[in-house]
Amino acid sequence: LLEADKVERECFKKQIGILQDYYQKEEVRERVIEAFEKLLEKWDREEPAVSLGVHYLFTSVHQRTYTYLLALYGEEFYLDERAIEISWKPELLIELFEEDVREIFRQIEKQFPRLCAYEKEGIRHHCMGYYHAAIYQLCKDIWPEILEREAFQRLKKREDFSLFFGAYRGEGEVIA
């Protein structure tokens, strides 16, 4: 895992610049905002929304879909049986991450020629953390733009409404 992490750090240094440039494009940012708006527009409950979660899914790394879950919660938070959820696939993420993974395996298999399937899976999950951090930052950067949108303004929400990022049904961090 340490060897894979060293390689991923180098790979990610190159890829983060590509991701940043890509997500600065107005049309790309608009598509990200539209995904959030789609979620916000689905809230039709009497009680106010309390939080919006951006969740990474362990199964999506295993299945190679790299899908995130956007979820709107009421007062009960994770226990809210009527939470509104939609899937979101951040553009370009799959391509860049898979590029990294190919390079990681190419380099570490020279040193460790017999990696087991579960070891490769562990490396994928570990290295995906770098991309989760990039998506966290994207959400943080784009949130002020979402706040200005009509869908957010119309949303019935509590005054202390929050945006958070983290593992689905796991730990998260409040972004705003």
Side-chain angles (χ1 to χ4, degrees), residues 19-161:
L19 277 173
Q20 287 172 329
D21 291 346
Y22 186 75
Y23 280 100
Q24 288 305 315
K25 295 177 185 174
E26 190 174 325
E27 66 275 9
V28 176
R29 291 178 80 77
E30 187 60 34
R31 287 193 295 270
V32 173
I33 292 168
E34 285 171 3
F36 282 85
E37 284 180 312
K38 182 179 171 185
L39 175 72
L40 296 169
E41 289 167 353
K42 289 185 174 204
W43 189 266
D44 61 355
R45 294 163 50 177
E46 276 299 311
E47 67 271 11
V50 174
S51 60
L52 189 158
V54 179
H55 300 287
Y56 54 88
L57 307 167
F58 294 109
T59 55
S60 78
V61 176
H62 181 70
Q63 296 170 340
R64 315 278 191 276
T65 61
Y66 308 108
T67 303
Y68 288 76
L69 185 72
L70 303 180
L72 259 180
Y73 296 103
E75 191 74 39
E76 299 84 24
F77 193 50
Y78 282 156
L79 299 176
D80 186 349
E81 293 178 3
R82 297 182 336 166
I84 309 295
E85 301 173 339
I86 64 168
S87 295
W88 172 52
K89 274 189 179 180
E91 297 175 21
L92 196 61
L93 182 110
I94 294 171
E95 296 85 352
L96 295 179
F97 181 69
E98 285 298 328
E99 232 178 79
D100 286 4
V101 168
R102 282 190 297 277
E103 181 60 20
I104 290 165
F105 291 149
R106 188 185 70 71
Q107 287 191 34
I108 66 172
E109 284 177 341
K110 292 174 186 172
Q111 190 175 357
F112 306 100
R114 293 189 199 137
L115 286 175
C116 296
Y118 76 90
E119 291 171 316
K120 288 182 177 183
E121 239 359 80
I123 289 168
R124 275 183 181 280
H125 281 275
H126 176 76
C127 293
M128 190 64 194
Y130 287 93
Y131 283 86
H132 293 324
I135 296 302
Y136 169 95
Q137 191 60 49
L138 171 65
C139 293
K140 186 175 181 177
D141 292 347
I142 214 158
W143 187 243
E145 296 173 51
I146 294 168
L147 295 176
E148 296 173 1
R149 295 300 178 105
E150 186 178 334
F152 185 80
Q153 299 299 319
R154 283 195 329 253
L155 176 68
K156 186 174 183 176
K157 59 193 169 295
R158 281 200 343 204
E159 232 176 86
D160 61 346
F161 183 86

